Amino acid sequence: APGGREPLGLGDEEGLRALNARGLTSRGYTVLEASNGVEALEVLDREGRVDLVVSDVVMPEMDGPTLLKELRRRDPSVRIIFVSGYAEENVRQDIADDQSVEFLPKPYSLDQINTKVKDVLGKIEEMAASNPETIVRELWEASIKRTRVCTDCGFLNYPGYPETHFSTCSTRRAQ
């Protein structure tokens, strides 16, 4: 991906999601896809950290603002672009924590979404270039918050690693 950045695109309209993914892939990004917020969290659990989430606001099972809360809990540094047919002001009213939230109104063109993704990822790059210690600290803090500790033996399971230890801990079985 340009600059090593990886976006996650999600929305319940499969054709539009696939078109967006193809457009971003053609620009050199590695794009992960999900059809709703619940599936997006599963993808993140499986794949690890992404730099940007492009999400519809209204989706089945888990809407965009609810997804944002969960994303912030897991990784406070993740950036999000909400796409919606609703007015930006209406969408922002439903978001308690709108730091680093961008908005792209529907309908939009492939050029518009490509430009928006490039701009948001460019801001991340600028921040990293101007203050790399801040980025390292943010990533470290986000990683620590997502690290699980086995209460039986103290094993640390870092983000992105399989969580099989928790069901197979020999300390638990020995008790």
Side-chain angles (χ1 to χ4, degrees), residues 28-169:
Y29 297 103
T30 301
V31 180
L32 304 173
E33 293 183 61
S35 62
N36 59 56
V38 172
E39 190 177 312
L41 295 176
E42 291 169 359
V43 168
L44 291 172
D45 287 342
R46 185 177 64 246
E47 300 292 332
R49 189 176 192 288
V50 296
D51 298 292
L52 174 65
V53 175
V54 180
S55 174
D56 210 333
V57 172
V58 178
M59 296 178 292
E61 295 188 55
M62 180 186 289
D63 66 4
T66 304
L67 173 64
L68 174 62
K69 288 176 191 169
E70 181 59 25
L71 290 172
R72 289 280 185 247
R73 188 183 72 72
R74 293 171 177 223
D75 181 359
S77 66
V78 72
R79 303 298 191 268
I80 191 162
I81 298 171
F82 277 134
V83 295
S84 179
Y86 296 101
E88 181 174 358
E89 297 78 30
N90 294 344
V91 173
R92 288 196 182 272
Q93 287 175 0
D94 295 334
I95 303 171
D97 171 21
D98 71 351
Q99 66 178 4
S100 305
V101 173
E102 299 284 336
F103 186 80
L104 183 62
K106 286 182 178 178
Y108 54 84
S109 68
L110 277 179
D111 282 343
Q112 287 172 312
I113 194 166
N114 285 333
T115 299
K116 182 62 98 171
V117 166
K118 181 180 178 185
D119 290 348
V120 172
L121 292 177
K123 288 177 189 176
I124 295 170
E125 291 293 331
E126 285 174 20
M127 191 169 75
S130 66
N131 193 352
E133 291 176 13
T134 301
I135 291 292
V136 170
R137 187 177 67 248
E138 283 182 13
L139 292 174
W140 174 253
E141 289 172 358
S143 177
I144 292 299
K145 288 178 183 177
R146 293 174 44 211
T147 300
R148 289 191 53 201
V149 179
C150 179
T151 56
D152 295 316
C153 70
F155 172 80
L156 294 175
N157 190 44
Y158 295 97
Y161 288 89
E163 296 197 3
T164 54
H165 172 82
F166 297 99
S167 60
T168 61
C169 179

